[in-house]
Amino acid sequence: MDTKNDMGIKKASDAKAGHRNFPMVPRVVFGKNSFNQLGDILLPKRKHSEAPFIFLVDDVFEGMEVAARIPLIFNDQIIFVSADEEPKTTQVDILVQKIQTEFTEVPSGIVGIGGGTLLDLAKAVAILLTNKGSSALYQGWDLVQKPSLYHVGIPTISGTGAEVSRTTVLMGPDKKLGINSDYTTFDQVILDPNLTQGVAKEQWFYTGMDCFIHCIESLNGTYLNAFSQSYGEKALELCKEVYLGELSSEESRDKLMMASWHGGMSIAYSQVGVAHAMSYGLGYLLGVKHGIGNCLVFQYLEEFYPHGVQLFNQMMEKQGVILPKGICAELSDTDFDIMIEVAMGMEPLWENALGEDWRRIITPEKLRSIYEKI
Ligand code: NAD
Ligand code: ZN
């Protein structure tokens, strides 16, 4: 089982590898109702009338106004996808096959509209439409050979940073691992805070806390550098305003969207830490989703992130969020061992969190004692 790490970043300052030269999103629009510009943005990218744009859209928008505003022309197609489960390599392969069977021409591009789940699917489909074989072949680092199809990301919930990252996290046949490559990053992102209006309170908290935890793990990690710090501090400040301040809902949507962006930029040049490593264990064994999984773990990490956990508790209290309990209550010894193995396999995350000697601090017993509380 190879479950190395979340954001797909090896040590930032690895002297042998030199400093990483990583891609950024080359074009981004920000602003209320900027979604209305999508048609104009896509127009020059249309290859010809037979080469459609494929819109992968979270199925919460089926029959909703957002879907009606998608600028369809020619033979463009909307494919609604459920975000109930995190993306899988098999799901990506099926989508790619469907698109290849239905259209004789290679599409003009892929547009993902939704949360981290849909953004990751859109990135993966765009890669697999130009690279042969199953998406599972590309899980890892820099295995993608050819540039992906033009792809656009339009987040509808804020926090993961998937809109800026160079990875797409997929559950494969034998591992949960990102396709980390220079071709993964979106060519265009549209940040329209109004699209996040319908998000349910609990989900808003869980996904927003993914961003908060990115900041805490990056800012308290051994890989920290001025690049990561500059973005991480800004994102943290924005998270505090959103979850502890008295903002209007409009200000709050704007700021959380930018927090997500900065949080993503912060971990791009460093790494996440303990909560993400352990959350991966929960996700792998129980299918617990990324945002809530991070929260479930993070609440018990005062030993590693005392100030972060204190802030987290204040935010939960202020927002009146209560986390579910007893998630690990019924698990067997084997179950715990699986989660522990997955978590401990995330070496760069532990190394970032605790330094090269992390194995002296993190033992299977230690991890089990934390999982047992969840
Ligand atoms: P999500 O995409 O899983 O969506 C969460 C829920 O919110 C879903 O039920 C969805 O339907 C709903 N939703 C989304 N937008 C909505 C809206 N505007 N109105 C109403 N409901 C809405 O949530 P997420 O937390 O953004 O993404 C989690 C995924 O992101 C995981 O698969 C995780 O692995 C991935 N991730 C990727 C990266 C990366 O860099 N690629 C980073 C972190 C997490
Ligand atoms: Zn995360």
Side-chain angles (χ1 to χ4, degrees):
M1 193 173 359
D2 178 5
T3 45
K4 261 188 200 143
N5 76 351
D6 177 333
M7 300 307 150
I9 312 303
K10 292 173 187 165
K11 192 165 177 172
S13 58
D14 188 337
K16 272 178 284 178
H19 296 289
R20 279 175 305 106
N21 182 7
F22 80 95
M24 291 174 66
V25 173
R27 283 189 171 263
V28 55
V29 188
F30 171 82
K32 212 163 51 167
N33 295 327
S34 55
F35 183 58
N36 293 342
Q37 287 167 238
L38 181 58
D40 291 343
I41 289 170
L42 299 184
L43 204 56
K45 301 291 176 186
R46 291 184 181 275
K47 292 183 207 154
H48 51 82
S49 60
E50 296 304 307
F53 266 100
I54 309 291
F55 298 84
L56 298 180
V57 183
D58 189 317
D59 70 2
V60 294
F61 296 117
E62 198 161 1
M64 308 287 277
E65 193 225 345
V66 170
R69 285 163 62 203
I70 294 173
L72 297 176
I73 53 174
F74 305 128
N75 54 351
D76 287 355
Q77 196 179 79
I78 298 181
I79 302 176
F80 288 106
V81 183
S82 163
D84 289 350
E85 287 178 14
E86 298 197 336
K88 298 181 188 59
T89 52
T90 47
Q91 189 184 8
V92 171
D93 295 348
I94 290 168
L95 281 166
V96 169
Q97 217 170 37
K98 175 180 158 68
I99 294 167
Q100 285 170 336
T101 345
E102 264 176 61
F103 298 95
T104 44
E105 296 289 331
V106 178
S108 293
I110 303 296
V111 182
I113 304 178
T117 300
L118 267 291
L119 297 180
D120 277 2
L121 277 172
K123 289 170 166 184
V125 168
I127 290 170
L128 269 294
L129 280 168
T130 56
N131 289 272
K132 288 201 173 74
S134 164
S135 49
L137 294 172
Y138 302 98
Q139 286 179 285
W141 286 268
D142 302 305
L143 302 173
V144 179
Q145 303 295 324
K146 295 189 189 143
S148 49
L149 216 57
Y150 174 77
H151 55 303
V152 180
I154 308 182
T156 64
I157 180 170
S158 300
T160 63
E163 66 278 17
V164 287
S165 73
R166 86 188 271 281
T167 190
T168 158
V169 186
L170 301 176
M171 179 68 90
D174 54 6
K175 62 194 172 205
K176 183 176 178 184
L177 183 63
I179 300 181
N180 302 275
S181 84
D182 284 351
Y183 303 125
T184 308
T185 316
F186 284 113
D187 297 298
Q188 167 82 57
V189 167
I190 296 181
L191 298 176
D192 179 348
N194 272 5
L195 295 179
T196 66
Q197 256 165 341
V199 176
K201 173 90 179 266
E202 309 275 304
Q203 189 63 54
W204 166 79
F205 186 81
Y206 300 148
T207 300
M209 284 302 111
D210 188 23
C211 175
F212 171 73
I213 295 168
H214 290 160
C215 299
I216 300 296
E217 294 187 330
S218 163
L219 292 171
N220 293 287
T222 61
Y223 292 2
L224 189 65
N225 53 68
F227 186 104
S228 295
Q229 190 176 5
S230 64
Y231 285 105
E233 284 175 351
K234 186 67 207 177
L236 181 59
E237 182 190 312
L238 291 166
C239 287
K240 285 192 214 163
E241 284 187 63
V242 169
Y243 290 100
L244 293 174
E246 302 296 337
L247 302 178
S248 70
S249 44
E250 189 178 327
E251 282 173 318
S252 165
R253 285 194 294 274
D254 286 8
K255 292 194 179 202
L256 192 56
M257 195 155 245
M258 289 322 298
S260 175
W261 184 274
H262 282 77
M265 288 299 296
S266 179
I267 44 175
Y269 226 91
S270 65
Q271 183 52 278
V272 286
V274 182
H276 275 77
M278 294 193 68
S279 173
Y280 260 63
L282 286 176
Y284 189 84
L285 182 77
L286 302 170
V288 174
K289 294 188 74 180
H290 189 85
I292 188 172
N294 285 348
C295 291
L296 288 169
V297 175
F298 194 74
Q299 61 181 330
Y300 297 118
L301 299 184
E302 54 279 269
E303 176 183 348
F304 306 105
Y305 306 113
H307 182 57
V309 174
Q310 196 192 341
L311 275 173
F312 177 79
N313 289 333
Q314 282 172 22
M315 290 174 175
M316 265 207 308
E317 200 181 305
K318 166 118 185 159
Q319 300 303 331
V321 171
I322 296 166
L323 293 173
K325 286 196 176 358
I327 307 290
C328 297
E330 312 272 289
L331 299 185
S332 67
D333 287 346
T334 320
D335 291 336
F336 279 111
D337 290 346
I338 292 170
M339 291 198 296
I340 291 164
E341 195 194 331
V342 169
M344 289 192 63
M346 308 275 178
E347 288 185 26
L349 282 70
W350 295 110
E351 197 181 288
N352 174 46
L354 303 164
E356 279 173 16
D357 281 347
W358 64 271
R359 283 178 198 278
R360 277 205 233 148
I361 307 164
I362 294 303
T363 58
E365 296 71 35
K366 171 118 216 153
L367 293 192
R368 175 145 180 175
S369 73
I370 298 173
Y371 278 129
E372 280 173 346
K373 293 185 195 164
I374 294 173

PDB file of all heavy atoms in Angstrom, residues 6-7 159-160 210-211 213-214 217 267 272 276 280 290-291 294, ligand 2:
ATOM      1  N   ASP A   6      -0.606  13.598   0.996  1.00  0.00           N
ATOM      2  CA  ASP A   6      -1.814  14.254   0.592  1.00  0.00           C
ATOM      3  C   ASP A   6      -1.578  15.164  -0.593  1.00  0.00           C
ATOM      4  O   ASP A   6      -1.988  14.906  -1.711  1.00  0.00           O
ATOM      5  CB  ASP A   6      -2.286  15.056   1.821  1.00  0.00           C
ATOM      6  CG  ASP A   6      -3.510  15.855   1.535  1.00  0.00           C
ATOM      7  OD1 ASP A   6      -3.719  16.221   0.375  1.00  0.00           O
ATOM      8  OD2 ASP A   6      -4.256  16.123   2.481  1.00  0.00           O
ATOM      9  N   MET A   7      -0.897  16.223  -0.345  1.00  0.00           N
ATOM     10  CA  MET A   7      -0.779  17.254  -1.360  1.00  0.00           C
ATOM     11  C   MET A   7       0.291  16.908  -2.390  1.00  0.00           C
ATOM     12  O   MET A   7       0.528  17.652  -3.321  1.00  0.00           O
ATOM     13  CB  MET A   7      -0.465  18.595  -0.709  1.00  0.00           C
ATOM     14  CG  MET A   7      -1.547  19.001   0.246  1.00  0.00           C
ATOM     15  SD  MET A   7      -3.165  18.955  -0.540  1.00  0.00           S
ATOM     16  CE  MET A   7      -4.183  18.566   0.858  1.00  0.00           C
ATOM     17  N   GLY A 159     -12.431  25.946   0.755  1.00  0.00           N
ATOM     18  CA  GLY A 159     -11.597  25.395   1.812  1.00  0.00           C
ATOM     19  C   GLY A 159     -10.483  24.469   1.374  1.00  0.00           C
ATOM     20  O   GLY A 159      -9.381  24.539   1.908  1.00  0.00           O
ATOM     21  N   THR A 160     -10.743  23.589   0.414  1.00  0.00           N
ATOM     22  CA  THR A 160      -9.750  22.544   0.131  1.00  0.00           C
ATOM     23  C   THR A 160      -8.477  23.085  -0.521  1.00  0.00           C
ATOM     24  O   THR A 160      -7.418  22.482  -0.399  1.00  0.00           O
ATOM     25  CB  THR A 160     -10.298  21.468  -0.828  1.00  0.00           C
ATOM     26  OG1 THR A 160     -10.590  22.089  -2.090  1.00  0.00           O
ATOM     27  CG2 THR A 160     -11.542  20.800  -0.282  1.00  0.00           C
ATOM     28  N   ASP A 210     -10.803  22.557   6.699  1.00  0.00           N
ATOM     29  CA  ASP A 210      -9.708  21.956   5.930  1.00  0.00           C
ATOM     30  C   ASP A 210      -8.671  23.052   5.667  1.00  0.00           C
ATOM     31  O   ASP A 210      -7.474  22.852   5.856  1.00  0.00           O
ATOM     32  CB  ASP A 210     -10.255  21.370   4.622  1.00  0.00           C
ATOM     33  CG  ASP A 210      -9.213  20.569   3.862  1.00  0.00           C
ATOM     34  OD1 ASP A 210      -8.253  20.089   4.492  1.00  0.00           O
ATOM     35  OD2 ASP A 210      -9.366  20.416   2.634  1.00  0.00           O
ATOM     36  N   CYS A 211      -9.156  24.222   5.283  1.00  0.00           N
ATOM     37  CA  CYS A 211      -8.252  25.351   5.034  1.00  0.00           C
ATOM     38  C   CYS A 211      -7.541  25.770   6.325  1.00  0.00           C
ATOM     39  O   CYS A 211      -6.321  25.945   6.332  1.00  0.00           O
ATOM     40  CB  CYS A 211      -9.049  26.519   4.465  1.00  0.00           C
ATOM     41  SG  CYS A 211      -8.074  28.011   4.265  1.00  0.00           S
ATOM     42  N   ILE A 213      -6.893  24.024   8.910  1.00  0.00           N
ATOM     43  CA  ILE A 213      -5.917  22.994   9.293  1.00  0.00           C
ATOM     44  C   ILE A 213      -4.701  23.022   8.347  1.00  0.00           C
ATOM     45  O   ILE A 213      -3.565  22.815   8.782  1.00  0.00           O
ATOM     46  CB  ILE A 213      -6.605  21.601   9.390  1.00  0.00           C
ATOM     47  CG1 ILE A 213      -7.629  21.628  10.535  1.00  0.00           C
ATOM     48  CG2 ILE A 213      -5.589  20.480   9.582  1.00  0.00           C
ATOM     49  CD1 ILE A 213      -8.590  20.446  10.586  1.00  0.00           C
ATOM     50  N   HIS A 214      -4.938  23.309   7.058  1.00  0.00           N
ATOM     51  CA  HIS A 214      -3.788  23.487   6.152  1.00  0.00           C
ATOM     52  C   HIS A 214      -2.835  24.554   6.718  1.00  0.00           C
ATOM     53  O   HIS A 214      -1.621  24.380   6.724  1.00  0.00           O
ATOM     54  CB  HIS A 214      -4.236  23.938   4.750  1.00  0.00           C
ATOM     55  CG  HIS A 214      -4.947  22.870   3.979  1.00  0.00           C
ATOM     56  ND1 HIS A 214      -5.774  23.140   2.906  1.00  0.00           N
ATOM     57  CD2 HIS A 214      -4.973  21.523   4.129  1.00  0.00           C
ATOM     58  CE1 HIS A 214      -6.263  22.016   2.435  1.00  0.00           C
ATOM     59  NE2 HIS A 214      -5.795  21.013   3.158  1.00  0.00           N
ATOM     60  N   GLU A 217      -1.055  23.346  10.000  1.00  0.00           N
ATOM     61  CA  GLU A 217      -0.058  22.308   9.738  1.00  0.00           C
ATOM     62  C   GLU A 217       1.139  22.856   8.957  1.00  0.00           C
ATOM     63  O   GLU A 217       2.278  22.432   9.154  1.00  0.00           O
ATOM     64  CB  GLU A 217      -0.703  21.132   9.003  1.00  0.00           C
ATOM     65  CG  GLU A 217      -1.716  20.431   9.895  1.00  0.00           C
ATOM     66  CD  GLU A 217      -2.279  19.162   9.310  1.00  0.00           C
ATOM     67  OE1 GLU A 217      -2.377  19.040   8.075  1.00  0.00           O
ATOM     68  OE2 GLU A 217      -2.654  18.263  10.091  1.00  0.00           O
ATOM     69  N   ILE A 267       0.400  25.329   1.331  1.00  0.00           N
ATOM     70  CA  ILE A 267       0.886  23.942   1.368  1.00  0.00           C
ATOM     71  C   ILE A 267       1.565  23.537   0.067  1.00  0.00           C
ATOM     72  O   ILE A 267       2.327  22.583   0.044  1.00  0.00           O
ATOM     73  CB  ILE A 267      -0.210  22.911   1.732  1.00  0.00           C
ATOM     74  CG1 ILE A 267      -1.496  23.186   0.989  1.00  0.00           C
ATOM     75  CG2 ILE A 267      -0.409  22.837   3.226  1.00  0.00           C
ATOM     76  CD1 ILE A 267      -2.550  22.137   1.226  1.00  0.00           C
ATOM     77  N   VAL A 272       1.306  19.312   4.560  1.00  0.00           N
ATOM     78  CA  VAL A 272       0.375  19.225   5.678  1.00  0.00           C
ATOM     79  C   VAL A 272       0.976  18.353   6.784  1.00  0.00           C
ATOM     80  O   VAL A 272       2.155  18.011   6.725  1.00  0.00           O
ATOM     81  CB  VAL A 272      -1.017  18.721   5.208  1.00  0.00           C
ATOM     82  CG1 VAL A 272      -1.749  19.810   4.444  1.00  0.00           C
ATOM     83  CG2 VAL A 272      -0.901  17.459   4.387  1.00  0.00           C
ATOM     84  N   HIS A 276      -3.925  15.549   8.736  1.00  0.00           N
ATOM     85  CA  HIS A 276      -4.123  14.986   7.398  1.00  0.00           C
ATOM     86  C   HIS A 276      -3.668  13.528   7.322  1.00  0.00           C
ATOM     87  O   HIS A 276      -4.337  12.697   6.712  1.00  0.00           O
ATOM     88  CB  HIS A 276      -3.411  15.831   6.345  1.00  0.00           C
ATOM     89  CG  HIS A 276      -4.234  16.989   5.881  1.00  0.00           C
ATOM     90  ND1 HIS A 276      -4.390  18.121   6.630  1.00  0.00           N
ATOM     91  CD2 HIS A 276      -4.988  17.171   4.760  1.00  0.00           C
ATOM     92  CE1 HIS A 276      -5.185  18.957   5.974  1.00  0.00           C
ATOM     93  NE2 HIS A 276      -5.571  18.404   4.846  1.00  0.00           N
ATOM     94  N   TYR A 280      -6.411  10.532   6.630  1.00  0.00           N
ATOM     95  CA  TYR A 280      -6.302   9.584   5.518  1.00  0.00           C
ATOM     96  C   TYR A 280      -6.635   8.172   5.964  1.00  0.00           C
ATOM     97  O   TYR A 280      -7.250   7.403   5.234  1.00  0.00           O
ATOM     98  CB  TYR A 280      -4.899   9.629   4.910  1.00  0.00           C
ATOM     99  CG  TYR A 280      -4.867  10.438   3.658  1.00  0.00           C
ATOM    100  CD1 TYR A 280      -5.174  11.787   3.692  1.00  0.00           C
ATOM    101  CD2 TYR A 280      -4.574   9.849   2.430  1.00  0.00           C
ATOM    102  CE1 TYR A 280      -5.174  12.539   2.550  1.00  0.00           C
ATOM    103  CE2 TYR A 280      -4.581  10.594   1.269  1.00  0.00           C
ATOM    104  CZ  TYR A 280      -4.881  11.948   1.333  1.00  0.00           C
ATOM    105  OH  TYR A 280      -4.902  12.686   0.195  1.00  0.00           O
ATOM    106  N   HIS A 290     -12.765  13.998   3.582  1.00  0.00           N
ATOM    107  CA  HIS A 290     -11.575  14.774   3.933  1.00  0.00           C
ATOM    108  C   HIS A 290     -11.834  15.855   4.998  1.00  0.00           C
ATOM    109  O   HIS A 290     -11.153  15.895   6.029  1.00  0.00           O
ATOM    110  CB  HIS A 290     -11.062  15.413   2.637  1.00  0.00           C
ATOM    111  CG  HIS A 290      -9.741  16.068   2.749  1.00  0.00           C
ATOM    112  ND1 HIS A 290      -8.563  15.385   2.614  1.00  0.00           N
ATOM    113  CD2 HIS A 290      -9.406  17.362   2.973  1.00  0.00           C
ATOM    114  CE1 HIS A 290      -7.556  16.231   2.741  1.00  0.00           C
ATOM    115  NE2 HIS A 290      -8.041  17.438   2.964  1.00  0.00           N
ATOM    116  N   GLY A 291     -12.813  16.714   4.772  1.00  0.00           N
ATOM    117  CA  GLY A 291     -13.043  17.847   5.673  1.00  0.00           C
ATOM    118  C   GLY A 291     -13.423  17.417   7.076  1.00  0.00           C
ATOM    119  O   GLY A 291     -12.784  17.782   8.070  1.00  0.00           O
ATOM    120  N   ASN A 294     -10.640  15.472   8.898  1.00  0.00           N
ATOM    121  CA  ASN A 294      -9.618  16.338   9.488  1.00  0.00           C
ATOM    122  C   ASN A 294     -10.084  16.914  10.820  1.00  0.00           C
ATOM    123  O   ASN A 294      -9.323  16.984  11.784  1.00  0.00           O
ATOM    124  CB  ASN A 294      -9.301  17.501   8.545  1.00  0.00           C
ATOM    125  CG  ASN A 294      -8.459  17.067   7.364  1.00  0.00           C
ATOM    126  OD1 ASN A 294      -7.926  15.973   7.331  1.00  0.00           O
ATOM    127  ND2 ASN A 294      -8.357  17.938   6.375  1.00  0.00           N
TER     128      ASN A 294
HETATM  129 ZN    ZN B   2      -6.798  19.127   3.307  1.00  0.00          ZN
END
